Amino acid sequence: MSKRKKTRCPVEVQATRLTSNKRIANTEKFDKAMRLFDRVTALKNRMSAYCFARLRDLITDPYAFKAQYKAFNNNADLNAWETQSLFHEVVDFYVNSYHQRMERKQIFVQGSWKKTRYQKNMYRKPKAGEYSEDGRILVHAKGDIKSFELIRRKTHMTGIVKYLCYMNLDTFDPEHMTNTTMQAVLLFCRHYHPQRWQRACRVARAIQDRMIGSMKPIHFSSGAHRRHPVESKSLVVEDQSNGQYRWWYQLRLGKGKEAEFIRLPLLVKVQRKRPEDLRLDAVHVCYVRNGSQFMVGATYEAPPLEFSPTGIGIDTSVGIDVNTKNNLMALSNGQTYDYDRSAISALILLVDKITRNGTPNLTFRERARWEKLCRVNEWRIKRIIHDMLDALQTAGVTDLMVEDLDMRGDATFLEHHALKIKYSRLLRLLRLSHLKDWIGSQAEKRGMRMHRTNPAYTSQECPECHFVDRGNRTTQEVFACMACGFSGPADTVAACNTRFRVLADVPRGPSALLHTFDVYGRAVLKPIARSRLKEIVEKKLHQSVSPGHFTEPLGPGSTNKVGTNTPALVKAKAPCHSS
């Protein structure tokens, strides 16, 4: 009988920073350090110009191109290891920029043209000097062409061309590929359709040329670079003999026999992290902020997360629905937390005043004020999360179910009537895409697990019969099921559905339909199409399972009809509707 393997929690490496500035350091030594970073900035820009002049060689084979760092070994400040690390960083900037452009590139085959015609006659008011008996002039008659649209479609060949765009076509050979599935497709095309294969290669090469030609040189304004305690002889040291500053950073200036070492005192927040716990023998990053602060980015091994030893319980879990119109967060227990509408209104007015000439045209003072306003707004929202988690922790809640929302690409013309602002802009101002991360960060410090689930149809699903339809939302505030007649506050219903979906998957364990569970027992959503998700929610997710299949917290004899656990307060708050 094989021995059962123990579940090991992964070691997480986190970062912190140590700071020094001109007020606490020796002025002469601090100015020497600032001049060092100015020279490193100039060196990075020389490397960038070198890479841009040889951009095709860089994109063709980045691994071989990185060996050319030796052309910059004659600098007076960085040794070979530091120069190599800096050159590799510059090369990676160009490679990532190219790949981002290639990912956004849409490759398609041109089809037919689609004509759109006017469905009715279009009129306008007569201008000065024009006369019309009925007071209007015909502009477009019914049936006239309104616009043309090119129909684009993707084929197997467009997929092949897209794949070839990432390859070095001078040396690429499908015979030596490790991806056997794509290898079979490419070999079939090359052997049985040689003309199409040659055309695909020519098109891919032309796309590569256009992508490379559209790239611009990267300009660096910071001299940030990596240093190693052994290779660079730059490290954080402890001086217990100094009564004012205990921790110092030993910075090497120059290299070889002309190297000079200076020490800068470090400001340390013991509440954040003790220097004794840092990985002082690991690579770290040195950089300058605002021209007056010397920063050291160090790493440390975060302690393993500690959560409640009990499983995900019905009585110790709460679902959270995030929205903007009526409140900020609605909980499945009926509680709501809202943001300060007057403060947001004042923030909108100030942001509009500062960005009246456009965000790219902001002055240094305007940009600093704008960033300060955003930080103040972020602090207010984090404070709301702090108060909410304090209350839930006092109530014995150990698990939070949150929708995995991503609102970065949302765009809408709908306007918030009270704040007089478009919802898409309000979402960006409140930074709701980061809300789940802020909740998770604060919850983990309290020993509370946060589970992420798919947000699709949470506001349209009935928590009782699980019927999903857009017609269930009669208004933005009221939910009324068209199948069973259940009704209640829409935001609370969405929070209940978010909670029910995770609870319904817990008894299934590794066979869960919508989630996977990590070593800490936290649910992570599976990538599922919306149509497939709707089918699972309506027909499979909430089906009864035999009692023998259940594990804690539901326990033997329970059923998986979590909809029957809809809080009574949801039903009690359901408004009465006249037939």
Side-chain angles (χ1 to χ4, degrees):
M1 185 175 179
S2 61
K3 187 177 180 180
R4 184 177 179 181
K5 295 183 179 180
K6 295 183 179 180
T7 302
R8 296 184 59 186
C9 297
V11 176
E12 183 179 1
V13 177
Q14 296 184 355
T16 187
R17 63 175 180 266
L18 308 174
T19 310
S20 181
N21 55 54
K22 190 177 292 186
R23 291 178 297 178
I24 64 174
N26 181 282
T27 304
E28 182 181 356
K29 294 181 179 179
F30 194 84
D31 291 340
K32 286 184 178 180
M34 295 300 102
R35 289 194 292 271
L36 166 66
F37 283 91
D38 291 339
R39 294 192 296 270
V40 174
T41 303
L43 176 61
K44 291 175 71 174
N45 287 320
R46 290 201 303 271
M47 290 180 176
S48 177
Y50 180 88
C51 294
F52 186 76
R54 300 159 179 81
L55 198 55
R56 173 165 289 282
D57 296 336
L58 186 153
I59 299 299
T60 300
D61 193 350
Y63 184 80
F65 189 84
K66 288 181 178 180
Q68 301 186 28
Y69 75 92
K70 299 177 182 179
F72 298 92
N73 273 341
N74 58 352
N75 71 87
D77 296 298
L78 305 182
N79 60 24
W81 184 91
E82 295 164 350
T83 304
Q84 180 185 14
S85 175
L86 190 65
F87 187 77
H88 288 186
E89 180 183 347
V90 175
V91 172
D92 290 338
F93 267 103
Y94 278 100
V95 172
N96 293 336
S97 176
Y98 174 79
H99 286 169
Q100 289 174 3
R101 291 172 179 268
M102 192 61 68
E103 289 175 1
R104 293 193 297 266
K105 177 66 177 177
Q106 297 293 329
I107 301 176
F108 57 88
V109 176
Q110 294 185 2
S112 59
W113 288 91
K114 178 182 178 181
K115 299 178 183 178
T116 304
R117 300 181 181 273
Y118 286 96
Q119 301 297 322
K120 60 181 181 179
N121 295 333
M122 304 298 295
Y123 299 90
R124 65 172 175 84
K125 294 181 180 180
K127 300 179 181 179
E130 294 181 339
Y131 173 76
S132 176
E133 295 181 356
D134 55 356
R136 56 182 184 173
I137 297 178
L138 180 66
V139 180
H140 299 288
K142 180 180 179 180
D144 288 352
I145 296 177
K146 183 178 182 181
S147 62
F148 290 94
E149 180 184 359
L150 178 62
I151 304 299
R152 304 175 179 181
R153 56 190 178 87
K154 294 185 177 181
T155 64
H156 294 293
M157 290 304 300
T158 59
I160 293 176
V161 172
K162 183 77 172 182
Y163 189 87
L164 293 176
C165 288
Y166 291 93
M167 300 294 118
N168 180 7
L169 297 178
D170 295 330
T171 59
F172 175 67
D173 186 5
E175 296 283 355
H176 303 93
M177 291 178 59
T178 57
N179 187 346
T180 56
T181 304
M182 198 63 193
Q183 181 186 36
V185 175
L186 297 180
L187 291 177
F188 180 85
C189 180
R190 189 175 71 171
H191 289 296
Y192 293 98
H193 304 282
Q195 294 182 350
R196 293 185 179 182
W197 172 259
Q198 295 175 3
R199 183 181 178 185
C201 293
R202 290 196 301 269
V203 173
R205 189 181 296 276
I207 293 175
Q208 288 179 346
D209 293 339
R210 288 198 297 269
M211 291 292 104
I212 294 175
S214 64
M215 294 180 64
K216 297 180 180 180
I218 299 175
H219 177 74
F220 295 93
S221 58
S222 169
H225 61 282
R226 296 184 180 91
R227 296 224 166 191
H228 194 281
V230 177
E231 298 290 343
S232 306
K233 297 181 181 179
S234 299
L235 68 161
V236 178
V237 296
E238 182 182 8
D239 185 4
Q240 296 183 356
S241 63
N242 192 300
Q244 189 173 7
Y245 298 105
R246 179 182 173 186
W247 295 95
W248 299 71
Y249 185 78
Q250 177 179 292
L251 179 65
R252 192 199 77 247
L253 304 177
K255 61 181 181 180
K257 298 181 179 180
E258 299 178 356
E260 176 188 358
F261 294 92
I262 62 174
R263 287 192 175 188
L264 301 176
L266 296 175
L267 297 175
V268 179
K269 281 189 176 181
V270 183
Q271 296 84 355
R272 177 181 293 177
K273 200 64 190 173
R274 297 188 309 165
E276 296 92 334
D277 300 331
L278 299 178
R279 303 168 70 214
L280 300 179
D281 57 343
V283 178
H284 54 271
V285 179
C286 298
Y287 60 100
V288 174
R289 189 170 67 177
N290 299 331
S292 60
Q293 287 183 312
F294 171 77
M295 315 289 288
V296 178
T299 58
Y300 63 94
E301 292 184 1
L305 300 176
E306 296 181 358
F307 298 109
S308 173
T310 60
I312 305 175
I314 295 178
D315 298 329
T316 59
S317 60
V318 167
I320 302 176
D321 177 66
V322 178
N323 52 85
T324 56
K325 184 175 181 181
N326 302 313
N327 50 67
L328 179 62
M329 293 177 290
L331 309 186
S332 58
N333 59 10
Q335 297 178 352
T336 58
Y337 293 85
D338 199 4
Y339 53 89
D340 190 347
R341 304 299 174 101
S342 59
I344 293 296
S345 299
L347 176 64
I348 293 172
L349 294 176
L350 289 174
V351 171
D352 289 340
K353 183 179 179 180
I354 294 173
T355 60
R356 60 187 179 274
N357 296 325
T359 305
N361 300 323
L362 292 178
T363 63
F364 177 80
R365 186 179 297 274
E366 289 176 340
R367 182 172 293 279
R369 188 181 181 191
W370 178 52
E371 292 176 352
K372 182 179 179 180
L373 292 174
C374 294
R375 289 196 301 269
V376 170
N377 179 62
E378 180 179 329
W379 175 85
R380 287 173 179 162
I381 295 179
K382 288 184 177 180
R383 184 66 190 182
I384 296 173
I385 297 173
H386 177 272
D387 296 340
M388 178 192 69
L389 294 179
D390 278 350
L392 293 177
Q393 187 178 20
T394 304
V397 175
T398 59
D399 294 272
L400 306 175
M401 288 71 170
V402 182
E403 296 173 325
D404 193 13
L405 295 172
D406 187 1
M407 303 177 182
R408 291 173 296 180
D410 286 2
T412 178
F413 293 99
L414 299 178
E415 186 179 82
H416 194 290
H417 297 291
L419 299 176
K420 304 298 181 183
I421 184 176
K422 292 180 181 178
Y423 276 108
S424 55
R425 188 183 178 196
L426 182 61
L427 296 178
R428 292 193 297 270
L429 193 62
L430 296 177
R431 300 185 67 188
L432 292 191
S433 291
H434 299 272
L435 200 64
K436 58 182 181 294
D437 299 324
W438 296 340
I439 294 175
S441 176
Q442 294 193 32
E444 289 176 355
K445 296 177 182 178
R446 292 171 169 82
M448 305 167 69
R449 285 182 291 259
M450 190 190 75
H451 311 270
R452 304 192 184 196
T453 189
N454 199 313
Y457 303 112
T458 54
S459 60
Q460 301 177 15
E461 178 189 353
C462 176
E464 288 293 323
C465 67
H466 307 294
F467 173 70
V468 179
D469 193 272
R470 184 177 296 179
N472 291 343
R473 292 291 296 271
T474 56
T475 63
Q476 183 70 21
E477 295 79 14
V478 179
F479 178 93
C481 181
M482 300 171 60
C484 67
F486 172 84
S487 60
D491 297 333
T492 307
V493 168
C496 291
N497 289 329
T498 302
R499 172 173 170 261
F500 291 163
R501 288 187 182 182
V502 178
L503 289 176
D505 255 355
V506 170
R508 293 184 170 90
S511 302
L513 300 176
L514 300 181
H515 308 88
T516 57
F517 296 90
D518 61 10
V519 293
Y520 295 109
R522 295 175 296 186
V524 182
L525 72 160
K526 294 181 179 179
I528 301 176
R530 287 176 62 91
S531 57
R532 175 63 178 162
L533 175 67
K534 182 177 179 181
E535 179 184 356
I536 293 176
V537 169
E538 287 187 319
K539 300 179 180 180
K540 298 181 179 180
L541 182 64
H542 304 284
Q543 287 180 351
S544 299
V545 183
S546 61
H549 294 169
F550 276 104
T551 58
E552 293 294 339
L554 295 180
S558 303
T559 59
N560 200 17
K561 293 290 289 182
V562 292
T564 58
N565 296 300
T566 305
L569 56 95
V570 178
K571 303 176 183 178
K573 290 184 179 181
C576 299
H577 298 279
S578 59
S579 56

